[in-house]
Amino acid sequence: MTSGAIPRAHRRSAGGVCALACVLAAVSGGLVLPAAARAQLAIQDFVVTAGASGEGYQGNLPSVGVPVQDSTEFASAAIGEVAVRSDLTYAIPEHGRIALAFDGGLRQFSARGFELRDYSPREWAGTLDLSYARPLGAGAGVTVRTRLRGRQIDDRPPMPLYLQPGYRSATAALRFDVEGPRQVFYDLEAFGERSEFLAPDFAPQIRLLDRNAHGIEAGATLTGGSANLRIYGGLERSRYPRQETFDPDDPVREDMTFLGGASWTYQADYIVQIELDGRANRSNSDRPEYDALTFRAVLSASLPRQVALNVYGALTAKQYLHSTEFARLLPGEEANSASQAYVSLTRSVARNLDATIRGGWTRAETEIGGAYFQRFGASFYLHYRPGF
C-alpha cells in the first residue's frame, strides 16, 4: 500500500465527479431560469431532534484507527445527541422541481469499560442533497442529483465501541425514468463518487481507505393495486489509489462489484417492504474479494392511541473468498455488511412535538475486513417541528 502520486488516468477519473457535478448544475440552472418567476418555494419538513441513549458493545478486536491497544470484551456508553433535518422544494410549472435536503447533527459519548482510560468520543455528521427532476414528456423524466457527506470523530475509541473513521465524500448522478407498457416503469442511473478519509497524525493508515468509484444501475418496477415489485442490477468500479497490490504490472487496487436484487412493497393501511440484495466483489487484490447476501424487511403501521410503529430488520451473510492474515481495509460503511434490527414507537405529546422510544441491535464489520462488533441499546428522542 502506498500514498504515492496518482497516475494520470486516475486523476481524470477522480476529477470526474466534480466535473459531472458542475455540468449537472449548469444544465439544471439553464433549464430552470426561464421559468424562475413562476417558481414556488415550499418547506416540506423541518425537524429538530434531541435524544439520549444507553448502549452496550461486545467484541475484542483491534482497530486500525487506534494505535494503543486498549480493547476490551465489553464497553458501554451514555450518548446525548441533537440533529436537524430539513427538506425544501422549488417547483416550477412545466419545468420540474428542485429539491434540497439537509440532515446533520452531533453525538456526544461518555464511554466506560476500557482498560487504560475512559473515552469521550464526539461525532459530527452531515449530509446535503441537491436534485433537479424534470419531465421529458408523457411517462418519462430525468433527474440530476449531487450529494455531499461528511463525518468527524474526536477521541475515537478502540474496539468494541466502533465508530466509522471521519471522512468526506461527494457524489453526482444522472437518472432516467420511463413508463413502459402494462404499468412497468424502467429506471437507469449512472453515478460517480469520491471519498477521502480523515486520518489523525498518529494513524495515517486510515487514508488507505480513500476511494474513487463510478457505476451504473438499472431497474424495472411492476405495479399493480397497492403493491409493486422492483428488480434491479448494477455494476460498480472502485479504485483505491493508496493501496498497493504488490504486482508491478497492476500496482493499484481496483475492485469490481456486481449487484442485483429485488424488493416488494405493499402500501395500504400499513407499509411492508421486503428486499433481497446480493453483491459479489472482485478485485486485482485477493484480500477484499467476497460474496454477500442481505435480506431486509420493513414494517410501518398505526397502532391505537395515535402510536406509530416502525420495525426494521436486516440479516447479512458475507464470505471472503481468500483467507489472509492481513487487514483487508474495507470502508467501514455499515449498510453493506451489517445485520440490524430495531423497533420504534412514536407518539405526539404536544403541538408540533413527537416522542420516540427505540430499541435496537447491530452486528457490523469494521474497516478491518472480517472483524465484527455488536451494538445493542435503547434510545429516547423528541422531535420538534416548528410548522413554518
Side-chain angles (χ1 to χ4, degrees), residues 277-281 290-294 316-319 336-337:
D277 178 87
R279 294 173 181 267
N281 193 72
Y290 67 85
D291 295 324
L293 185 66
T294 300
T316 297
K318 187 173 186 178
Q319 181 177 11
N336 279 349
S337 59

Tab-separated table of all heavy atoms in Angstrom, residues 277-281 290-294 316-319 336-337:
chain	number	residue	atom	x	y	z
A	277	ASP	N	-30.906	-8.573	-1.499
A	277	ASP	CA	-29.835	-7.870	-2.199
A	277	ASP	C	-28.575	-8.728	-2.196
A	277	ASP	O	-28.135	-9.188	-1.130
A	277	ASP	CB	-29.558	-6.529	-1.513
A	277	ASP	CG	-28.422	-5.756	-2.170
A	277	ASP	OD1	-28.700	-5.008	-3.120
A	277	ASP	OD2	-27.257	-5.895	-1.734
A	278	GLY	N	-27.993	-8.954	-3.363
A	278	GLY	CA	-26.773	-9.746	-3.475
A	278	GLY	C	-25.638	-8.939	-4.065
A	278	GLY	O	-25.852	-8.101	-4.945
A	279	ARG	N	-24.413	-9.174	-3.557
A	279	ARG	CA	-23.218	-8.471	-4.043
A	279	ARG	C	-22.069	-9.457	-4.183
A	279	ARG	O	-21.884	-10.336	-3.336
A	279	ARG	CB	-22.803	-7.351	-3.079
A	279	ARG	CG	-23.817	-6.226	-2.982
A	279	ARG	CD	-23.468	-5.222	-1.892
A	279	ARG	NE	-24.484	-4.184	-1.832
A	279	ARG	CZ	-24.426	-3.026	-2.482
A	279	ARG	NH1	-23.365	-2.758	-3.219
A	279	ARG	NH2	-25.392	-2.142	-2.387
A	280	ALA	N	-21.303	-9.277	-5.255
A	280	ALA	CA	-20.088	-10.057	-5.475
A	280	ALA	C	-18.972	-9.085	-5.805
A	280	ALA	O	-19.050	-8.372	-6.805
A	280	ALA	CB	-20.288	-11.067	-6.603
A	281	ASN	N	-17.964	-9.026	-4.943
A	281	ASN	CA	-16.857	-8.093	-5.124
A	281	ASN	C	-15.629	-8.848	-5.626
A	281	ASN	O	-15.186	-9.822	-5.013
A	281	ASN	CB	-16.520	-7.392	-3.806
A	281	ASN	CG	-15.608	-6.190	-4.010
A	281	ASN	OD1	-16.029	-5.168	-4.529
A	281	ASN	ND2	-14.350	-6.321	-3.599
A	290	TYR	N	-15.150	-10.924	-2.009
A	290	TYR	CA	-16.171	-11.526	-1.145
A	290	TYR	C	-17.483	-11.650	-1.898
A	290	TYR	O	-17.710	-11.023	-2.936
A	290	TYR	CB	-16.381	-10.679	0.111
A	290	TYR	CG	-16.997	-9.315	-0.143
A	290	TYR	CD1	-18.380	-9.154	-0.229
A	290	TYR	CD2	-16.193	-8.186	-0.297
A	290	TYR	CE1	-18.952	-7.924	-0.473
A	290	TYR	CE2	-16.761	-6.941	-0.535
A	290	TYR	CZ	-18.130	-6.819	-0.617
A	290	TYR	OH	-18.690	-5.583	-0.863
A	291	ASP	N	-18.382	-12.467	-1.344
A	291	ASP	CA	-19.773	-12.570	-1.774
A	291	ASP	C	-20.639	-12.260	-0.559
A	291	ASP	O	-20.330	-12.691	0.561
A	291	ASP	CB	-20.095	-13.975	-2.287
A	291	ASP	CG	-19.329	-14.316	-3.553
A	291	ASP	OD1	-19.118	-13.413	-4.385
A	291	ASP	OD2	-18.923	-15.492	-3.706
A	292	ALA	N	-21.722	-11.509	-0.766
A	292	ALA	CA	-22.595	-11.132	0.342
A	292	ALA	C	-24.049	-11.178	-0.108
A	292	ALA	O	-24.376	-10.859	-1.255
A	292	ALA	CB	-22.256	-9.738	0.863
A	293	LEU	N	-24.914	-11.583	0.808
A	293	LEU	CA	-26.350	-11.638	0.547
A	293	LEU	C	-27.067	-11.047	1.752
A	293	LEU	O	-26.812	-11.435	2.895
A	293	LEU	CB	-26.796	-13.085	0.327
A	293	LEU	CG	-28.264	-13.284	-0.078
A	293	LEU	CD1	-28.522	-12.691	-1.464
A	293	LEU	CD2	-28.607	-14.783	-0.075
A	294	THR	N	-27.972	-10.081	1.501
A	294	THR	CA	-28.684	-9.392	2.576
A	294	THR	C	-30.190	-9.513	2.370
A	294	THR	O	-30.694	-9.273	1.263
A	294	THR	CB	-28.300	-7.906	2.628
A	294	THR	OG1	-26.897	-7.782	2.860
A	294	THR	CG2	-29.047	-7.194	3.757
A	316	THR	N	-27.406	-10.219	7.122
A	316	THR	CA	-26.395	-10.293	6.071
A	316	THR	C	-25.490	-11.497	6.287
A	316	THR	O	-24.986	-11.723	7.393
A	316	THR	CB	-25.537	-9.029	6.033
A	316	THR	OG1	-26.368	-7.907	5.722
A	316	THR	CG2	-24.449	-9.137	4.969
A	317	ALA	N	-25.290	-12.265	5.224
A	317	ALA	CA	-24.304	-13.344	5.213
A	317	ALA	C	-23.189	-12.930	4.253
A	317	ALA	O	-23.457	-12.627	3.089
A	317	ALA	CB	-24.947	-14.650	4.762
A	318	LYS	N	-21.964	-12.897	4.755
A	318	LYS	CA	-20.830	-12.421	3.956
A	318	LYS	C	-19.678	-13.410	4.076
A	318	LYS	O	-19.341	-13.840	5.190
A	318	LYS	CB	-20.390	-11.042	4.437
A	318	LYS	CG	-19.323	-10.387	3.573
A	318	LYS	CD	-19.081	-8.959	4.039
A	318	LYS	CE	-18.118	-8.224	3.117
A	318	LYS	NZ	-17.908	-6.828	3.535
A	319	GLN	N	-19.077	-13.759	2.942
A	319	GLN	CA	-17.987	-14.725	2.943
A	319	GLN	C	-16.864	-14.224	2.046
A	319	GLN	O	-17.087	-13.870	0.883
A	319	GLN	CB	-18.465	-16.091	2.455
A	319	GLN	CG	-17.386	-17.162	2.446
A	319	GLN	CD	-17.909	-18.521	2.037
A	319	GLN	OE1	-19.036	-18.642	1.572
A	319	GLN	NE2	-17.094	-19.554	2.200
A	336	ASN	N	-23.501	-1.970	3.995
A	336	ASN	CA	-23.209	-3.060	3.080
A	336	ASN	C	-22.923	-4.378	3.781
A	336	ASN	O	-22.908	-5.415	3.126
A	336	ASN	CB	-22.011	-2.695	2.193
A	336	ASN	CG	-22.416	-1.811	1.041
A	336	ASN	OD1	-23.591	-1.628	0.781
A	336	ASN	ND2	-21.439	-1.257	0.361
A	337	SER	N	-22.643	-4.367	5.064
A	337	SER	CA	-22.179	-5.595	5.696
A	337	SER	C	-22.786	-5.817	7.076
A	337	SER	O	-22.242	-6.585	7.857
A	337	SER	CB	-20.654	-5.582	5.815
A	337	SER	OG	-20.223	-4.469	6.571
